[in-house]
Amino acid sequence: MDIVIIGGVAAGAKAAAKIKRLLPDAKVSIYTDDTHVSYSSCGLPYYIEGNFSDYRALLVRSVEEFNAAGIDVFLETRVEKILIPQQQVLAVGKVGTRLVNYDKLIIATGARPFIPNIKGINDFKNIFTLRKIEDGIKIRQKMLKSKHVVIIGSGFIGLELLEAFVKNGLDVVVIEKNNRIMSAFDEDMSDLIRKRLEAIPERKFRFYTGETVSEFIGTSYEVETVKTTSGKEFKTDLVILSAGIVPNSEIAQDAGIKIGNSKAIKVNKLMQTSAPNIYACGDCCEEHHLINGHSVLGPLGSTANKEGRCAAMNAAGIYTVFEGVLGSAVSRCLNTTMSMTGFTEKEAKSFGYTPVTAVVSKTDMVSYMPEAGEITLKVVADKVTGLLLGGQAIGSIGADKRINSLASALVGHLTVNEYKNSDFTYSPPYSPTIDPILDAMNILCSKLARHC
Amino acid sequence: MDIVIIGGVAAGAKAAAKIKRLLPDAKVSIYTDDTHVSYSSCGLPYYIEGNFSDYRALLVRSVEEFNAAGIDVFLETRVEKILIPQQQVLAVGKVGTRLVNYDKLIIATGARPFIPNIKGINDFKNIFTLRKIEDGIKIRQKMLKSKHVVIIGSGFIGLELLEAFVKNGLDVVVIEKNNRIMSAFDEDMSDLIRKRLEAIPERKFRFYTGETVSEFIGTSYEVETVKTTSGKEFKTDLVILSAGIVPNSEIAQDAGIKIGNSKAIKVNKLMQTSAPNIYACGDCCEEHHLINGHSVLGPLGSTANKEGRCAAMNAAGIYTVFEGVLGSAVSRCLNTTMSMTGFTEKEAKSFGYTPVTAVVSKTDMVSYMPEAGEITLKVVADKVTGLLLGGQAIGSIGADKRINSLASALVGHLTVNEYKNSDFTYSPPYSPTIDPILDAMNILCSKLARHC
């Protein structure tokens, strides 16, 4: 049995390892256009920051380890075409050009950074995106020789890199085309993120929201000035493009495999695509949202691992279901934890719910403890059914604890009434006597009178 | 309408404040034999440790605040008898002796430390229990002049005080009659707690398990030597008795109110006792276990608050249900977080389940992060139904995050299969790519094959 896996960062690497364990006699091959296989892309901002000095800490399994397990890895080899009727793929690269047979094909091509159409964007060597190991190495090298950086985009990666640059002493300018930073969050919460960050004394970073970059200007092979449509100009030593990602689904689309509205590959809960014997997993495919079943894009290493495992098991003939995602995410920027799960208020509205919300600002442990930090928790519920829909929390690291509790409640499709007296752990260094979640539930109860 | 509340630490104070808001015209009175009202008893170990210098940080609402809200507080006044047919209580103390009428009575008498029957236990001034504000003040004063302390009992309070004493430079001996410390946890987990604590370099504390104190010996009014039945002798400057608690239910029992096997007052989910117009809440009453409905004792400030609120609402005529507890608890001792929810393996067995377990030891965030700590998570599920039954986690502060997620899953009565792919937040400073909970679910799935 020939198992071919396209892509080998998170989902592909996981799928390969899993299927080889399930089918020891199968021939399992990973084809990837990358120079590395099986690594933690999410760790690159922390490598750049200098939390560890050797980028190899990011590598999960080496090519040698794959080989030792009986898995072939073809680096720098791009699969250019999937031939569905022939059950073959066309691979081009280091190994030359070859047609490879498959019995089962797993597409794990991931995603790539979105490149906005800006004048001069292709002309300079100091404009970086962050996705692969080399990107991280190059950014770190350049950062160590730089004083000024412009980050375009203020999502999770933009703010993680902001932290990295600030901790390395650079002056940072963040340019965001939306009217607020971290726009995955509701407006009130993203305002709060900005307020917390801008309250840092003697900060060396500035946010420019509602600004679009119009042009990169440089005198030689490097950008020296970033210009915006409103006429602002920023001198810089390097530029980071962190303006979102695009799923690498073209090869699937080209083969006639069904693609979703998000431009990612459509899969069912067994990670099967619309084509026979072809599975997809990781950032190149869509997820089902656990709350309402809608298709969403949830490009995350944790999800990629689960999907890779599920695809491998089903490809090996073991029925397994991956139910879907909640959009849970967390990120750290300097002193601020930003954590979310489920629907935001605006998402809930867009899906036709009538959201009610509770916002609680409170210490994350009893306030007399010297380590106490502040968190603001927003919980969203549905006025019609009383169902919990989502949560967002900003503040100290304790914010993330509350969001993971809420994520578990969302997995159980709990209502506010069912969750309102939950028995969380309590001790002064861990929680106030009444946890912020419980305060939020009490507020929601009063707004949902007939459900509580 | 006359509302009388007996006891005013957590449940009583909450009930008083809530019912006065619901029934502004009612006469609400708190009678307590304590010198203080409305305080965080759980914070006393942290006061003793020196996290804050003024014990008044522990006070939630002052007598003046209660008075301003129209609530009468009678300190140092003990209710000696409940006269059910007359709807009166007999109060004796600072206000003299008086009969007080009630339309609704809320019993929130709390619990008291268990005093073991040891020779000399009543003869000395330097044997302390920790429950009330004065206890904390006296222990701190004595600690500051002491070099050696013996703690009898190694539960939550014993280990919290161990931390306080160690941080203040004392030599600590802990004597535990069970064969292991923190016996609320399963054996493997309590062994791990001991191992972690004993791995602290140059530690100034020692555990003696399977030891019973036989005698306190002193030359004047102070204990100088603690003797065990096995013949060990420990020189000491003070002794802490933290050998468990006893609910203050005698006054209810004396009045003919139904008492449970745990010796605490029996209540229904509306916090009603067996007597008309009499409610109970807090450490003096039993809780319903959320998983199987059994009566259990869950003496915790967080639970007391919820029960006080529920009792007040029902007493005010607003139907509200308190479904019960999971036995969730957390405590910190030096570098170790100890957190639990639901049933331990041994409890699950005692309730007739056939428990299967998964134990995962892992970093609490991606291992290349410099702040990464270790946690060990044990999850218990039922082999027959696949239902999750409980979890215990030991290690860094991240242990508590996982237990609160599991607590939420237990509130939802989730099975391993329903919880196995939960979408937790992921980012290197917050979680490994595969969260320890998910590893545990995978292990449980393989043990519960037909359920997954």
Side-chain angles (χ1 to χ4, degrees), chain B residues 204-227:
Chain B
K204 294 181 72 187
F205 56 89
R206 283 164 295 157
F207 295 114
Y208 294 88
T209 48
E211 286 280 351
T212 312
V213 175
S214 57
E215 192 177 356
F216 297 113
I217 303 164
T219 49
S220 62
Y221 57 93
E222 291 214 323
V223 174
E224 295 181 344
T225 304
V226 177
K227 218 174 146 177

PDB file of all heavy atoms in Angstrom, chain B residues 204-227:
ATOM      1  N   LYS B 204      14.060  22.902  54.459  1.00  0.00           N
ATOM      2  CA  LYS B 204      14.069  22.924  55.921  1.00  0.00           C
ATOM      3  C   LYS B 204      12.785  22.320  56.483  1.00  0.00           C
ATOM      4  O   LYS B 204      12.301  22.738  57.528  1.00  0.00           O
ATOM      5  CB  LYS B 204      14.256  24.366  56.402  1.00  0.00           C
ATOM      6  CG  LYS B 204      15.632  24.940  56.023  1.00  0.00           C
ATOM      7  CD  LYS B 204      15.805  26.354  56.534  1.00  0.00           C
ATOM      8  CE  LYS B 204      15.977  26.382  58.035  1.00  0.00           C
ATOM      9  NZ  LYS B 204      15.983  27.765  58.567  1.00  0.00           N
ATOM     10  N   PHE B 205      12.230  21.352  55.744  1.00  0.00           N
ATOM     11  CA  PHE B 205      11.011  20.704  56.255  1.00  0.00           C
ATOM     12  C   PHE B 205      11.120  19.200  56.033  1.00  0.00           C
ATOM     13  O   PHE B 205      11.781  18.741  55.107  1.00  0.00           O
ATOM     14  CB  PHE B 205       9.761  21.256  55.563  1.00  0.00           C
ATOM     15  CG  PHE B 205       9.798  21.150  54.062  1.00  0.00           C
ATOM     16  CD1 PHE B 205       9.316  20.009  53.418  1.00  0.00           C
ATOM     17  CD2 PHE B 205      10.315  22.184  53.280  1.00  0.00           C
ATOM     18  CE1 PHE B 205       9.358  19.908  52.036  1.00  0.00           C
ATOM     19  CE2 PHE B 205      10.365  22.084  51.898  1.00  0.00           C
ATOM     20  CZ  PHE B 205       9.883  20.947  51.271  1.00  0.00           C
ATOM     21  N   ARG B 206      10.475  18.474  56.923  1.00  0.00           N
ATOM     22  CA  ARG B 206      10.486  17.006  56.823  1.00  0.00           C
ATOM     23  C   ARG B 206       9.086  16.470  57.078  1.00  0.00           C
ATOM     24  O   ARG B 206       8.347  17.018  57.911  1.00  0.00           O
ATOM     25  CB  ARG B 206      11.445  16.414  57.871  1.00  0.00           C
ATOM     26  CG  ARG B 206      12.925  16.540  57.504  1.00  0.00           C
ATOM     27  CD  ARG B 206      13.799  16.300  58.732  1.00  0.00           C
ATOM     28  NE  ARG B 206      13.590  17.351  59.737  1.00  0.00           N
ATOM     29  CZ  ARG B 206      13.840  17.219  61.038  1.00  0.00           C
ATOM     30  NH1 ARG B 206      14.297  16.069  61.508  1.00  0.00           N
ATOM     31  NH2 ARG B 206      13.632  18.225  61.879  1.00  0.00           N
ATOM     32  N   PHE B 207       8.751  15.429  56.323  1.00  0.00           N
ATOM     33  CA  PHE B 207       7.447  14.773  56.512  1.00  0.00           C
ATOM     34  C   PHE B 207       7.639  13.477  57.282  1.00  0.00           C
ATOM     35  O   PHE B 207       8.540  12.690  56.963  1.00  0.00           O
ATOM     36  CB  PHE B 207       6.818  14.431  55.153  1.00  0.00           C
ATOM     37  CG  PHE B 207       6.475  15.636  54.325  1.00  0.00           C
ATOM     38  CD1 PHE B 207       7.136  15.891  53.123  1.00  0.00           C
ATOM     39  CD2 PHE B 207       5.480  16.509  54.737  1.00  0.00           C
ATOM     40  CE1 PHE B 207       6.822  17.002  52.359  1.00  0.00           C
ATOM     41  CE2 PHE B 207       5.153  17.620  53.963  1.00  0.00           C
ATOM     42  CZ  PHE B 207       5.832  17.869  52.773  1.00  0.00           C
ATOM     43  N   TYR B 208       6.786  13.251  58.258  1.00  0.00           N
ATOM     44  CA  TYR B 208       6.734  11.968  58.961  1.00  0.00           C
ATOM     45  C   TYR B 208       5.332  11.417  58.779  1.00  0.00           C
ATOM     46  O   TYR B 208       4.386  11.898  59.398  1.00  0.00           O
ATOM     47  CB  TYR B 208       7.076  12.152  60.448  1.00  0.00           C
ATOM     48  CG  TYR B 208       8.515  12.590  60.635  1.00  0.00           C
ATOM     49  CD1 TYR B 208       8.853  13.947  60.627  1.00  0.00           C
ATOM     50  CD2 TYR B 208       9.531  11.645  60.784  1.00  0.00           C
ATOM     51  CE1 TYR B 208      10.169  14.354  60.751  1.00  0.00           C
ATOM     52  CE2 TYR B 208      10.854  12.050  60.917  1.00  0.00           C
ATOM     53  CZ  TYR B 208      11.169  13.396  60.908  1.00  0.00           C
ATOM     54  OH  TYR B 208      12.475  13.785  61.039  1.00  0.00           O
ATOM     55  N   THR B 209       5.200  10.452  57.892  1.00  0.00           N
ATOM     56  CA  THR B 209       3.874   9.884  57.632  1.00  0.00           C
ATOM     57  C   THR B 209       3.719   8.586  58.415  1.00  0.00           C
ATOM     58  O   THR B 209       4.699   7.974  58.844  1.00  0.00           O
ATOM     59  CB  THR B 209       3.687   9.622  56.133  1.00  0.00           C
ATOM     60  OG1 THR B 209       4.835   8.936  55.629  1.00  0.00           O
ATOM     61  CG2 THR B 209       3.534  10.923  55.366  1.00  0.00           C
ATOM     62  N   GLY B 210       2.473   8.172  58.603  1.00  0.00           N
ATOM     63  CA  GLY B 210       2.211   6.977  59.401  1.00  0.00           C
ATOM     64  C   GLY B 210       2.616   7.165  60.855  1.00  0.00           C
ATOM     65  O   GLY B 210       2.912   6.209  61.567  1.00  0.00           O
ATOM     66  N   GLU B 211       2.629   8.415  61.289  1.00  0.00           N
ATOM     67  CA  GLU B 211       3.033   8.738  62.676  1.00  0.00           C
ATOM     68  C   GLU B 211       1.851   9.400  63.401  1.00  0.00           C
ATOM     69  O   GLU B 211       1.186  10.267  62.827  1.00  0.00           O
ATOM     70  CB  GLU B 211       4.185   9.753  62.681  1.00  0.00           C
ATOM     71  CG  GLU B 211       5.525   9.198  62.272  1.00  0.00           C
ATOM     72  CD  GLU B 211       6.241   8.451  63.393  1.00  0.00           C
ATOM     73  OE1 GLU B 211       5.776   8.504  64.555  1.00  0.00           O
ATOM     74  OE2 GLU B 211       7.260   7.803  63.082  1.00  0.00           O
ATOM     75  N   THR B 212       1.626   9.009  64.628  1.00  0.00           N
ATOM     76  CA  THR B 212       0.570   9.636  65.424  1.00  0.00           C
ATOM     77  C   THR B 212       1.203  10.311  66.635  1.00  0.00           C
ATOM     78  O   THR B 212       2.095   9.750  67.263  1.00  0.00           O
ATOM     79  CB  THR B 212      -0.438   8.573  65.907  1.00  0.00           C
ATOM     80  OG1 THR B 212      -0.799   7.770  64.783  1.00  0.00           O
ATOM     81  CG2 THR B 212      -1.685   9.218  66.477  1.00  0.00           C
ATOM     82  N   VAL B 213       0.740  11.518  66.908  1.00  0.00           N
ATOM     83  CA  VAL B 213       1.265  12.225  68.078  1.00  0.00           C
ATOM     84  C   VAL B 213       0.648  11.613  69.331  1.00  0.00           C
ATOM     85  O   VAL B 213      -0.568  11.429  69.409  1.00  0.00           O
ATOM     86  CB  VAL B 213       0.939  13.728  67.998  1.00  0.00           C
ATOM     87  CG1 VAL B 213       1.371  14.446  69.273  1.00  0.00           C
ATOM     88  CG2 VAL B 213       1.629  14.345  66.781  1.00  0.00           C
ATOM     89  N   SER B 214       1.494  11.288  70.299  1.00  0.00           N
ATOM     90  CA  SER B 214       0.984  10.682  71.531  1.00  0.00           C
ATOM     91  C   SER B 214       0.941  11.682  72.677  1.00  0.00           C
ATOM     92  O   SER B 214       0.106  11.566  73.570  1.00  0.00           O
ATOM     93  CB  SER B 214       1.852   9.485  71.925  1.00  0.00           C
ATOM     94  OG  SER B 214       3.201   9.906  72.066  1.00  0.00           O
ATOM     95  N   GLU B 215       1.819  12.676  72.634  1.00  0.00           N
ATOM     96  CA  GLU B 215       1.900  13.542  73.821  1.00  0.00           C
ATOM     97  C   GLU B 215       2.580  14.866  73.498  1.00  0.00           C
ATOM     98  O   GLU B 215       3.518  14.917  72.694  1.00  0.00           O
ATOM     99  CB  GLU B 215       2.707  12.822  74.913  1.00  0.00           C
ATOM    100  CG  GLU B 215       2.616  13.495  76.266  1.00  0.00           C
ATOM    101  CD  GLU B 215       3.367  12.722  77.363  1.00  0.00           C
ATOM    102  OE1 GLU B 215       3.887  11.619  77.072  1.00  0.00           O
ATOM    103  OE2 GLU B 215       3.449  13.244  78.485  1.00  0.00           O
ATOM    104  N   PHE B 216       2.080  15.913  74.118  1.00  0.00           N
ATOM    105  CA  PHE B 216       2.770  17.206  74.102  1.00  0.00           C
ATOM    106  C   PHE B 216       3.436  17.385  75.454  1.00  0.00           C
ATOM    107  O   PHE B 216       2.790  17.242  76.503  1.00  0.00           O
ATOM    108  CB  PHE B 216       1.772  18.351  73.881  1.00  0.00           C
ATOM    109  CG  PHE B 216       1.081  18.282  72.540  1.00  0.00           C
ATOM    110  CD1 PHE B 216      -0.283  18.029  72.457  1.00  0.00           C
ATOM    111  CD2 PHE B 216       1.797  18.478  71.366  1.00  0.00           C
ATOM    112  CE1 PHE B 216      -0.917  17.967  71.231  1.00  0.00           C
ATOM    113  CE2 PHE B 216       1.157  18.425  70.128  1.00  0.00           C
ATOM    114  CZ  PHE B 216      -0.205  18.168  70.062  1.00  0.00           C
ATOM    115  N   ILE B 217       4.712  17.704  75.451  1.00  0.00           N
ATOM    116  CA  ILE B 217       5.432  17.872  76.708  1.00  0.00           C
ATOM    117  C   ILE B 217       6.021  19.280  76.758  1.00  0.00           C
ATOM    118  O   ILE B 217       6.648  19.750  75.798  1.00  0.00           O
ATOM    119  CB  ILE B 217       6.572  16.832  76.832  1.00  0.00           C
ATOM    120  CG1 ILE B 217       5.996  15.413  76.708  1.00  0.00           C
ATOM    121  CG2 ILE B 217       7.321  16.995  78.162  1.00  0.00           C
ATOM    122  CD1 ILE B 217       7.042  14.352  76.444  1.00  0.00           C
ATOM    123  N   GLY B 218       5.801  19.961  77.872  1.00  0.00           N
ATOM    124  CA  GLY B 218       6.365  21.293  78.026  1.00  0.00           C
ATOM    125  C   GLY B 218       6.729  21.519  79.468  1.00  0.00           C
ATOM    126  O   GLY B 218       6.256  20.802  80.354  1.00  0.00           O
ATOM    127  N   THR B 219       7.577  22.484  79.709  1.00  0.00           N
ATOM    128  CA  THR B 219       7.976  22.730  81.088  1.00  0.00           C
ATOM    129  C   THR B 219       7.125  23.798  81.743  1.00  0.00           C
ATOM    130  O   THR B 219       6.961  23.809  82.951  1.00  0.00           O
ATOM    131  CB  THR B 219       9.449  23.147  81.175  1.00  0.00           C
ATOM    132  OG1 THR B 219       9.669  24.177  80.235  1.00  0.00           O
ATOM    133  CG2 THR B 219      10.359  21.963  80.884  1.00  0.00           C
ATOM    134  N   SER B 220       6.630  24.742  80.962  1.00  0.00           N
ATOM    135  CA  SER B 220       5.765  25.750  81.574  1.00  0.00           C
ATOM    136  C   SER B 220       4.445  25.748  80.818  1.00  0.00           C
ATOM    137  O   SER B 220       3.827  24.716  80.658  1.00  0.00           O
ATOM    138  CB  SER B 220       6.457  27.106  81.526  1.00  0.00           C
ATOM    139  OG  SER B 220       6.669  27.467  80.167  1.00  0.00           O
ATOM    140  N   TYR B 221       4.007  26.879  80.332  1.00  0.00           N
ATOM    141  CA  TYR B 221       2.734  26.946  79.608  1.00  0.00           C
ATOM    142  C   TYR B 221       2.895  26.690  78.112  1.00  0.00           C
ATOM    143  O   TYR B 221       1.965  26.821  77.351  1.00  0.00           O
ATOM    144  CB  TYR B 221       2.053  28.296  79.862  1.00  0.00           C
ATOM    145  CG  TYR B 221       2.906  29.477  79.473  1.00  0.00           C
ATOM    146  CD1 TYR B 221       2.787  30.049  78.193  1.00  0.00           C
ATOM    147  CD2 TYR B 221       3.832  30.018  80.361  1.00  0.00           C
ATOM    148  CE1 TYR B 221       3.582  31.115  77.824  1.00  0.00           C
ATOM    149  CE2 TYR B 221       4.625  31.078  79.987  1.00  0.00           C
ATOM    150  CZ  TYR B 221       4.506  31.622  78.732  1.00  0.00           C
ATOM    151  OH  TYR B 221       5.291  32.672  78.362  1.00  0.00           O
ATOM    152  N   GLU B 222       4.125  26.361  77.676  1.00  0.00           N
ATOM    153  CA  GLU B 222       4.341  26.107  76.255  1.00  0.00           C
ATOM    154  C   GLU B 222       4.834  24.689  75.984  1.00  0.00           C
ATOM    155  O   GLU B 222       5.683  24.164  76.709  1.00  0.00           O
ATOM    156  CB  GLU B 222       5.370  27.111  75.694  1.00  0.00           C
ATOM    157  CG  GLU B 222       4.853  28.538  75.624  1.00  0.00           C
ATOM    158  CD  GLU B 222       5.416  29.302  74.424  1.00  0.00           C
ATOM    159  OE1 GLU B 222       6.587  29.096  74.100  1.00  0.00           O
ATOM    160  OE2 GLU B 222       4.652  30.086  73.817  1.00  0.00           O
ATOM    161  N   VAL B 223       4.325  24.091  74.910  1.00  0.00           N
ATOM    162  CA  VAL B 223       4.855  22.805  74.437  1.00  0.00           C
ATOM    163  C   VAL B 223       6.307  23.011  74.042  1.00  0.00           C
ATOM    164  O   VAL B 223       6.638  23.998  73.380  1.00  0.00           O
ATOM    165  CB  VAL B 223       4.102  22.329  73.174  1.00  0.00           C
ATOM    166  CG1 VAL B 223       4.751  21.059  72.610  1.00  0.00           C
ATOM    167  CG2 VAL B 223       2.639  22.089  73.461  1.00  0.00           C
ATOM    168  N   GLU B 224       7.145  22.092  74.423  1.00  0.00           N
ATOM    169  CA  GLU B 224       8.534  22.135  73.970  1.00  0.00           C
ATOM    170  C   GLU B 224       8.909  20.904  73.157  1.00  0.00           C
ATOM    171  O   GLU B 224       9.817  20.955  72.340  1.00  0.00           O
ATOM    172  CB  GLU B 224       9.477  22.286  75.172  1.00  0.00           C
ATOM    173  CG  GLU B 224       9.263  23.632  75.867  1.00  0.00           C
ATOM    174  CD  GLU B 224      10.185  23.848  77.051  1.00  0.00           C
ATOM    175  OE1 GLU B 224      10.784  22.862  77.538  1.00  0.00           O
ATOM    176  OE2 GLU B 224      10.298  25.008  77.489  1.00  0.00           O
ATOM    177  N   THR B 225       8.181  19.813  73.408  1.00  0.00           N
ATOM    178  CA  THR B 225       8.473  18.562  72.702  1.00  0.00           C
ATOM    179  C   THR B 225       7.174  17.898  72.270  1.00  0.00           C
ATOM    180  O   THR B 225       6.227  17.826  73.046  1.00  0.00           O
ATOM    181  CB  THR B 225       9.244  17.592  73.633  1.00  0.00           C
ATOM    182  OG1 THR B 225      10.419  18.249  74.098  1.00  0.00           O
ATOM    183  CG2 THR B 225       9.642  16.318  72.883  1.00  0.00           C
ATOM    184  N   VAL B 226       7.187  17.432  71.011  1.00  0.00           N
ATOM    185  CA  VAL B 226       6.051  16.663  70.507  1.00  0.00           C
ATOM    186  C   VAL B 226       6.523  15.224  70.364  1.00  0.00           C
ATOM    187  O   VAL B 226       7.537  14.953  69.714  1.00  0.00           O
ATOM    188  CB  VAL B 226       5.570  17.199  69.146  1.00  0.00           C
ATOM    189  CG1 VAL B 226       4.424  16.346  68.602  1.00  0.00           C
ATOM    190  CG2 VAL B 226       5.144  18.663  69.263  1.00  0.00           C
ATOM    191  N   LYS B 227       5.796  14.310  70.987  1.00  0.00           N
ATOM    192  CA  LYS B 227       6.193  12.911  71.035  1.00  0.00           C
ATOM    193  C   LYS B 227       5.207  12.089  70.213  1.00  0.00           C
ATOM    194  O   LYS B 227       4.001  12.342  70.250  1.00  0.00           O
ATOM    195  CB  LYS B 227       6.148  12.445  72.499  1.00  0.00           C
ATOM    196  CG  LYS B 227       7.260  11.505  72.888  1.00  0.00           C
ATOM    197  CD  LYS B 227       7.215  11.217  74.380  1.00  0.00           C
ATOM    198  CE  LYS B 227       7.675   9.795  74.613  1.00  0.00           C
ATOM    199  NZ  LYS B 227       7.715   9.497  76.054  1.00  0.00           N
TER     200      LYS B 227
END
